[in-house]
């Protein structure tokens, strides 16, 4: 047993000694004798393992230092070269094959900014052209008037038939209402009466005030006559059949409708507008409830002077 252990140690010493060639491969003797201990078998098994590793190490150590260095350097250099090439290829791919490179992103910003600036300039230019077209008045260009007014045939507060032709040659101020109106119609008619008196006083102009009912069912000739006398001696009251009132209201774009009907007692919702008509019975301008007496009189005087 001791002889075999000494032999094994000698083999290991020679294998691990630097600069020595490895011994020829030789199998270690098997311990198969019945008298051998388990410790010896395990020791010899491990010795075979260490012997193989030592032989491999010794063979590697026999390479010349320059060759080993060259091999090491070449192997490492080849690996580094391949690794460097791979990294460069990956870097190139990340720049060239990516979704957006820095150069393309910069070009996109420049192009987008140019488009925005161009669009803004074109928009401003278009708006300026529209303003110029709107404000510029071309020679010979006429301004159209609203399609308000038209022929009608009604009865005055004296029961005589009248048409729009009976008002030709005079400036006329029309108002649509009804005699049972609780507050708005009386206020508007009082304003109308005061305005025409002020116009006559300031501008020496005669205006014919006209009241046309939108409640023909209750506003008879007699009812209208009694009503208009309460406001002005020159106020002309007109009434007619339901169909005739509907036609004249439609011609002057007047809205009216019955509301809160309880038997014969009801109100009429209607437009609160006065229409200024020139001596040809053509529409000139309308005046709403927001005009007071002075602004109404001054507005009518201004329109009449401009049309002369």
């Amino acid at each position: 047993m001791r002889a075999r252990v000494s032999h094994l140690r000698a083999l290991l010493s020679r294998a691990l000694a630097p600069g020595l060639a490895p011994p020829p491969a030789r199998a270690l003797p098997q311990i198969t004798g019945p008298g051998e201990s388990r410790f010896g078998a395990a020791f010899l098994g491990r010795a075979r393992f260490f012997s193989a590793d030592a032989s491999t190490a010794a063979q590697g150590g026999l390479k010349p230092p320059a060759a080993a260095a060259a091999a090491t350097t070449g192997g490492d250099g080849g690996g580094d070269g391949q690794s460097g090439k791979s990294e460069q290829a990956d870097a190139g791919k990340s720049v060239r094959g990516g979704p957006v490179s820095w150069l393309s992103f910069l070009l996109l910003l420049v192009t987008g900014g140019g488009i925005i600036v161009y669009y803004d300039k074109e928009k401003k230019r278009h708006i300026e052209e529209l303003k110029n077209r709107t404000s510029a008045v071309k020679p010979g260009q006429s301004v159209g008037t609203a399609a308000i007014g038209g022929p009608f045939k009604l009865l005055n507060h004296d029961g005589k038939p009248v048409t729009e032709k009976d008002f030709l040659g005079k400036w006329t101020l029309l108002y649509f209402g009804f005699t049972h109106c609780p507050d708005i119609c009386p206020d508007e008619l009082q304003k109308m009466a005061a305005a025409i008196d002020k116009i006559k006083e300031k501008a020496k102009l005669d205006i014919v005030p006209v009241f046309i009912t939108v409640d023909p069912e209750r506003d008879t000739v007699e009812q209208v006559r009694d009503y208009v006398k309460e406001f002005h001696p020159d106020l002309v009251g007109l009434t007619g059949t339901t169909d005739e009132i509907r036609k004249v209201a439609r011609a002057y774009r007047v809205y009216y409708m019955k509301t809160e009907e309880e038997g014969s007692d009801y109100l009429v919702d209607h437009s609160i507008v006065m229409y200024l008509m020139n001596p040809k019975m053509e529409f000139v301008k309308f005046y709403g409830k927001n005009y007071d007496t002075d602004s109404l009189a001054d507005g009518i005087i201004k329109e009449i002077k401009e049309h002369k």
Side-chain angles (χ1 to χ4, degrees):
M1 177 67 180
R2 291 179 179 176
R4 291 179 179 178
V5 171
S6 299
H7 179 67
L8 180 59
R9 287 179 177 175
L11 291 175
L12 289 174
S13 297
R14 292 183 63 186
L16 295 175
L20 296 178
R26 179 171 130 182
L28 292 175
Q30 299 288 337
I31 300 175
T32 57
E36 298 297 334
S37 65
R38 291 182 181 178
F39 175 79
F43 181 82
L44 288 176
R46 292 187 179 181
R48 291 190 188 97
F49 174 76
F50 285 119
S51 176
D53 288 348
S55 177
T56 304
Q59 291 176 0
L62 290 175
K63 292 182 181 180
T72 303
T73 306
D76 294 343
D80 292 342
Q82 292 177 357
S83 177
K85 290 179 181 179
S86 176
E87 289 178 359
Q88 290 178 359
D90 292 342
K93 288 180 181 178
S94 65
V95 173
R96 294 190 298 270
V100 179
S101 67
W102 285 109
L103 180 59
S104 60
F105 182 69
L106 180 61
L107 291 175
L108 180 62
L109 286 179
V110 173
T111 305
I115 292 175
I116 293 174
V117 172
Y118 174 77
Y119 176 76
D120 186 60
K121 288 183 179 179
E122 287 296 314
K123 184 179 178 181
K124 290 180 179 179
R125 184 180 63 82
H126 184 64
I127 294 174
E128 192 67 24
E129 288 181 356
L130 291 177
K131 289 181 179 179
N132 293 336
R133 291 177 185 176
T134 304
S135 59
V137 180
K138 297 180 180 180
Q141 184 179 12
S142 61
V143 180
T145 57
I148 296 177
F152 60 83
K153 185 178 180 181
L154 299 171
L155 295 176
N156 66 10
H157 58 265
D158 292 326
K160 297 179 180 180
V162 295
T163 67
E164 75 286 353
K165 295 178 181 180
D166 292 310
F167 299 95
L168 293 175
K170 307 168 186 175
W171 284 87
T172 307
L173 191 61
L174 299 176
Y175 177 78
F176 290 78
F178 64 109
T179 62
H180 290 77
C181 182
D183 48 14
I184 295 178
C185 292
D187 292 343
E188 291 299 296
L189 289 175
Q190 288 177 359
K191 182 171 64 178
M192 174 190 281
I196 61 173
D197 287 341
K198 187 175 290 291
I199 292 169
K200 188 173 184 178
E201 178 183 352
K202 291 178 65 174
K204 310 301 182 183
L205 296 172
D206 291 325
I207 308 296
V208 179
V210 178
F211 167 80
I212 302 177
T213 182
V214 292
D215 184 17
E217 298 178 6
R218 293 183 299 184
D219 288 345
T220 61
V221 172
E222 292 77 11
Q223 178 71 22
V224 172
R225 181 172 60 247
D226 294 339
Y227 186 71
V228 296
K229 286 181 179 180
E230 297 178 3
F231 300 100
H232 198 278
D234 295 333
L235 182 59
V236 178
L238 302 178
T239 187
T241 64
T242 302
D243 187 57
E244 290 170 344
I245 295 298
R246 184 183 300 112
K247 288 181 180 179
V248 68
R250 183 179 301 170
Y252 283 85
R253 307 293 189 268
V254 173
Y255 159 81
Y256 70 98
M257 183 177 64
K258 288 183 180 181
T259 61
E260 301 179 9
E261 185 171 0
E262 295 180 2
S264 59
D265 188 13
Y266 58 85
L267 296 176
V268 180
D269 186 20
H270 63 89
S271 303
I272 307 173
V273 178
M274 297 182 191
Y275 298 94
L276 179 63
M277 312 298 290
N278 64 20
K280 296 180 180 179
M281 279 302 286
E282 296 172 344
F283 170 76
V284 176
K285 190 173 181 179
F286 66 87
Y287 302 92
K289 191 174 181 295
N290 56 318
Y291 283 82
D292 58 14
T293 300
D294 292 333
S295 60
L296 177 60
D298 294 339
I300 292 174
I301 293 173
K302 179 182 177 181
E303 292 297 329
I304 292 175
K305 289 182 177 180
E306 289 181 356
H307 279 75
K308 281 188 175 181

